[in-house]
Structures are given as C-alpha cells and as structure tokens.
Amino acid sequence: MPTEFTTPAVILNEPQLAENIGAVARAMANFGLRDLRLVRPRDGWPQDRAWASASGASWPLDGALVFDRLEDAIADLQVVLATTARPRELRLPVMTPREAAGDLYAAAAAGRATGLLYGGERAGLETRDISLCQGVVTIPVDEKFRSLNLGQAVVVTAYEWGVAVLDGPPETFAKNLAAPAGQEALQGLYGHLEGELLAAGFFHPPEKTPGMINNLRAIFARASLSDQEVSTLRGVITALSKGRGKVLEKLAAKRAREKP
Amino acid sequence: MPTEFTTPAVILNEPQLAENIGAVARAMANFGLRDLRLVRPRDGWPQDRAWASASGASWPLDGALVFDRLEDAIADLQVVLATTARPRELRLPVMTPREAAGDLYAAAAAGRATGLLYGGERAGLETRDISLCQGVVTIPVDEKFRSLNLGQAVVVTAYEWGVAVLDGPPETFAKNLAAPAGQEALQGLYGHLEGELLAAGFFHPPEKTPGMINNLRAIFARASLSDQEVSTLRGVITALSKGRGKVLEKLAAKRAREKP
C-alpha cells in the first residue's frame, strides 16, 4: 500500500450558495479531502461567505479551481463518479457510497486520479453531466424525503472515503488494473465519434440527438478504456468514416456514369 | 425481523442555531428518523428559521419535544449513545458510526427504545452528559480538522442507521438480549447511590466529586442493567447504607457506654 496517494477531487457543478460551498469544504477537511473544483458557481468566486461557513477549513477554498465547463474540470481525472439521488436512464454502474469509496480508494491506491461530482442545489446533475462519468453514487435516502442538502451529500460520501482509507486497501487493490484513459482523451473520442455520426446523418430524429449522445458516451465512460484503446477506437472511427466517404464517392461516380 | 420498530430518537443538548436544528431535521428525514428532542435550545422553541432550513422536512420539527433537563429527555429510552469527537476519560464503549448503527438496530429490532445524543455547536457534550449514556459514537474525522458541523454529525450517524436498516438485521439480533432498564430507572439508581455515598463521606476531596460521580455512572450505564438488576442494586445500596447506619449506631452506643 502506498503511503501517499491522491485523494478524490470534489467537483461542484453550478453550486448556488457560498454557504454550501463552505460546508462542503468543511466536510472535505473532516475526512482528508483537499482538491475542490467549482464549475460556474452562480455568485462568482471567491465569496467571503464560503470562508465564513467553513469554520476554519479554509484550505480547500484557498486552493479551489474554477471552470467554465465541466469537461475541463474533470479533464485530468481518470475515474469520476457522479453523486445523484435520481435513478437515470443511463447505463452506468450505480454504487452505494460505501462501494464507491472502495472503488475510488482502489483506483487512488493504484495511482489513478479520481473525483466525485455533485450537482447544484436546485437542479442537481443533468443526464449530460452524468454521461461524462464512469459511474453513479446513490445515497440510500428514505423515499419519503429524498432531497439531500449539498453539504450533507458531500459529507456522507467523504465520510465513506475516510472509512475506506482507515479500513486499509480493499481487495480489488491487488488486481492488476489497466490504467484508464483520462477524461480529456475520452472527450476527444466522444467529439470525434459524434462529429462523424452527425456528418453521416446518424442522429435522427434531431430532437433525440442529446439523449442518443448521452447513451453513447455512457457506454465508453463505463468501459474503463485505456489510452491505447481510445487510440484504437479513434482509428476505427476514422476507418469507418473514410470508408463511408469512399462508398459515397463510388456511388456518386456510378450515378455520374449512368447519367448520359 | 419485525416490520415495525421504533427508530432512534435524536436528542440535541443545548443546540444554538435554529438553522442547524432544521438541518438536523432534514438529515433525519433523509434516513427515516422522526423523533427529535431538544434540551434547552438557546433561542427558545419553536423558531421559524428551523422550518426554513429543513427544506420541507417539517415533521421532526412539528413533533419535537423540548426539555429542561437531559435526564428527562432520555428518561424513557433504554439505549442512548453519545456522539462526540473527543476521547473521554469515561470507561464507556467507543463505537464507530457503523458499529453504533448495528447496535442500535439490534436493540430497536428487539423492541428497545433507543437514542442518539449530540452536543451543542460550541461546547459539545460535557462528561456529565456522556456519563448518562450506554456508549460513545466517534466519527472518524481527520486529525487535522476534527470540528464537525452539528447537522453533518447527525447526517453521518443517521446515514449509517439507514444503511443498517437496508442491510437487514445484524447478527446480534439473534441473541437473546436481556431487556435493559430505562434511563429513568438508572437515574433513580444513580441518585440513590450518590446520596448514600455523599452521606457516607465517600466523595473526597470535594472538588473531585463530579468526576467520581461520572465514572461511577459510566460503570452502570454500560452494564446494560435490567430492571430486576437495578432493583437488586438498590437493595444492595439500602442494605449497605443501613448496615453502615447500624454500625454507626453501635459505635455511638459503645462510646456512650465507655464515657462515664
């Protein structure tokens, strides 16, 4: 077991209240997390009220990075799990906080960069955001009252991370995990594939395009693709799309010949 | 496994901020807890701000009971665990939130009335408060930042309760647990014992009296005494103290005889 490993980043997507960002920082500090990332915080950044509500847990706030796009906030991470209470259509693995902590700890102990993603207070996470992740963490809340406060969602998952570290390396740690590609490489793959599919007229009817894209991304997101596999798949896309181009050229040539 | 059992009461001792009481209610509702008890809330009760911060989880607040004394707030409970981050001198069992949830669930499933006690935001719990409990729950926080927000302490322990219920009855459920006495019976025992010890000049030096009392209470608090055992012990105290009285009478009579 390595004595040093990278703790999961906490990514807040469109957080609204600075008080809640402070509460998140405090919960992170309680369980040894440090790397806070904010995507489009509603009221801008920095906000004094965040520091006030962190009760002295200032270091995650001092070092917080701000991003315009979720894609950029997770670009350097290899395993990102989305925390959401809502069951989703996406075919991504759904984990309990305990299972997620075990998986993240195994990944971190194997040298992977990991993250936990949380949605804003009002809207939570969109399917599009979740489709960028490798899995979903669902906190087992009572059906009568499912609405978890942002800080409380973070404290439950951070607590399980802390317990996982205290309990020591999980059994999966011994597995020879293939190094998964980073999110940036995955996003390159998505863009390549979606661009070619758009050109090929794959997305039909147009109003279903976002859902089709999300479902496609989830397939690759959960597959733990290595960098080599991402390269291979991009080669496949290139081959298929160029092949299609050649077919189209041949068809056009044929029609040209048939017309007098 | 019984389909119905009594969920643990959440007892807040001297809570300060109504917002935190609301956050506690929300965390309770997230994990199926209902029975909220407040001991000397600083700003009185009810407080509109509690309902505002509960985000719709109003029923624990609507039904909250207010007490002047912690002893009264827990009088009807048979197993009470104190949540505190600080290691204490008291010889009470110290549990993780997971172990505590398992114990509470086993007790609840066996028909016991249970509770979780939390201190106020500033002072936490006094040793005197903890000595009234059957055990201590310590949330494994990072040593660099131990200060847990009240609502976050409640959500971690409530979450573990919810997971314990979802996981089903623990192995200890099968044990033939002897029904422990309620706190009211225990408090009667403590009062009886301490009164007699005071009369006997046991507490010496006087400034150590509170600590000596706390340590004595903890012995009986953790022993899971049944009602029958409490009665037996009270009989023991009566016998000992009356016996001592008789000895004193005899000594006095002897001295009277010796003095001319």
Side-chain angles (χ1 to χ4, degrees):
Chain A
M1 178 188 167
T3 51
E4 286 293 319
F5 49 82
T6 306
T7 55
V10 168
I11 307 115
L12 306 184
N13 193 48
E14 303 192 352
Q16 299 190 309
L17 298 171
E19 287 82 357
N20 282 341
I21 300 173
V24 165
R26 185 172 179 178
M28 290 173 66
N30 282 142
F31 299 104
L33 302 180
R34 295 178 289 270
D35 180 355
L36 176 63
R37 306 174 181 198
L38 308 174
V39 182
R40 294 189 297 281
R42 186 190 65 184
D43 300 333
W45 191 257
Q47 289 282 331
D48 287 344
R49 286 170 297 133
W51 273 261
S53 73
S55 297
S58 55
W59 53 97
L61 301 173
D62 298 337
L65 298 173
V66 181
F67 298 87
D68 284 334
R69 298 168 65 244
L70 175 58
E71 285 84 344
D72 298 331
I74 63 174
D76 62 320
L77 304 179
Q78 291 166 297
V79 181
V80 183
L81 303 181
T83 301
T84 173
R86 302 180 200 164
R88 298 279 175 174
E89 300 291 315
L90 290 173
R91 293 195 59 234
L92 282 177
V94 176
M95 286 168 260
T96 65
R98 192 162 303 167
E99 291 164 344
D103 276 18
L104 289 176
Y105 182 52
R112 314 287 180 259
T114 63
L116 282 160
L117 171 64
Y118 304 83
E121 291 87 337
R122 186 163 306 234
L125 291 170
E126 300 292 327
T127 306
R128 186 186 166 284
D129 309 324
I130 302 169
S131 75
L132 295 169
C133 298
Q134 276 63 54
V136 169
V137 190
T138 297
I139 297 174
V141 285
D142 194 273
E143 289 189 0
K144 283 183 218 148
F145 191 77
R146 302 183 66 86
S147 162
L148 259 171
N149 169 275
L150 174 59
Q152 293 185 328
V154 171
V155 84
V156 166
T157 39
Y159 157 75
E160 285 285 9
W161 164 263
V163 171
V165 173
L166 280 180
D167 285 351
E171 292 189 12
T172 49
F173 174 58
K175 286 186 193 166
N176 185 17
L177 296 170
Q183 303 302 317
E184 191 166 20
L186 287 180
Q187 289 162 21
L189 171 66
Y190 301 159
H192 187 177
L193 176 63
E194 291 153 17
E196 292 295 347
L197 290 176
L198 193 65
F202 173 82
F203 295 116
H204 187 81
E207 66 271 21
K208 291 206 173 167
T209 303
M212 294 169 83
I213 285 179
N214 288 338
N215 288 328
L216 276 171
R217 288 180 177 185
I219 292 170
F220 296 107
R222 69 171 186 264
S224 290
L225 298 174
S226 68
D227 280 316
Q228 181 57 52
E229 289 168 331
V230 170
S231 294
T232 303
L233 285 170
R234 295 194 64 161
V236 167
I237 296 164
T238 301
L240 292 175
S241 52
K242 285 209 169 142
R244 186 189 70 233
K246 284 181 186 161
V247 170
L248 291 176
E249 276 171 28
K250 281 185 187 170
L251 281 172
K254 192 182 171 200
R255 283 192 194 123
R257 282 198 304 275
E258 284 169 0
K259 284 188 183 171
Chain B
M1 178 189 168
T3 50
E4 285 294 319
F5 49 82
T6 306
T7 56
V10 168
I11 306 116
L12 307 184
N13 193 47
E14 303 191 353
Q16 300 189 309
L17 298 171
E19 288 81 357
N20 282 342
I21 300 173
V24 165
R26 185 171 178 179
M28 291 173 66
N30 282 142
F31 298 105
L33 301 180
R34 294 178 290 271
D35 180 356
L36 176 61
R37 304 174 183 199
L38 308 174
V39 182
R40 294 187 299 279
R42 186 189 66 184
D43 301 334
W45 192 258
Q47 290 281 332
D48 287 345
R49 286 169 298 134
W51 274 260
S53 72
S55 297
S58 56
W59 53 98
L61 301 173
D62 297 337
L65 298 174
V66 181
F67 298 87
D68 284 334
R69 298 168 67 241
L70 175 58
E71 285 83 344
D72 298 330
I74 62 175
D76 61 318
L77 304 178
Q78 290 166 299
V79 181
V80 182
L81 303 180
T83 302
T84 174
R86 302 179 201 165
R88 298 280 175 173
E89 300 291 314
L90 289 174
R91 293 195 59 233
L92 282 177
V94 176
M95 287 168 261
T96 66
R98 193 163 303 168
E99 292 164 342
D103 276 19
L104 288 176
Y105 182 52
R112 313 286 179 258
T114 64
L116 282 159
L117 171 65
Y118 305 84
E121 291 88 339
R122 186 163 304 235
L125 291 171
E126 300 292 328
T127 306
R128 188 187 165 282
D129 309 324
I130 301 168
S131 76
L132 295 169
C133 298
Q134 276 64 56
V136 169
V137 190
T138 298
I139 297 173
V141 286
D142 194 274
E143 289 189 3
K144 281 183 221 148
F145 191 76
R146 302 183 65 86
S147 162
L148 260 171
N149 170 275
L150 174 59
Q152 293 184 328
V154 172
V155 84
V156 166
T157 38
Y159 156 75
E160 285 286 8
W161 164 263
V163 170
V165 173
L166 281 178
D167 285 351
E171 293 189 11
T172 49
F173 175 58
K175 286 186 194 166
N176 185 17
L177 296 169
Q183 303 302 319
E184 191 168 21
L186 286 179
Q187 289 162 21
L189 171 65
Y190 301 159
H192 187 177
L193 176 63
E194 291 153 18
E196 292 295 347
L197 289 175
L198 194 65
F202 174 81
F203 295 117
H204 187 81
E207 65 271 21
K208 291 204 174 167
T209 302
M212 294 170 83
I213 285 179
N214 289 337
N215 289 328
L216 275 172
R217 287 182 177 183
I219 292 169
F220 297 107
R222 69 173 187 264
S224 291
L225 299 173
S226 67
D227 279 315
Q228 180 58 51
E229 289 168 331
V230 170
S231 293
T232 302
L233 285 170
R234 295 194 64 162
V236 167
I237 296 164
T238 300
L240 293 175
S241 53
K242 284 207 170 149
R244 186 190 70 232
K246 284 179 188 164
V247 170
L248 292 177
E249 276 170 29
K250 281 184 189 173
L251 282 173
K254 192 183 172 197
R255 281 186 196 133
R257 280 196 305 273
E258 285 168 358
K259 286 186 183 175

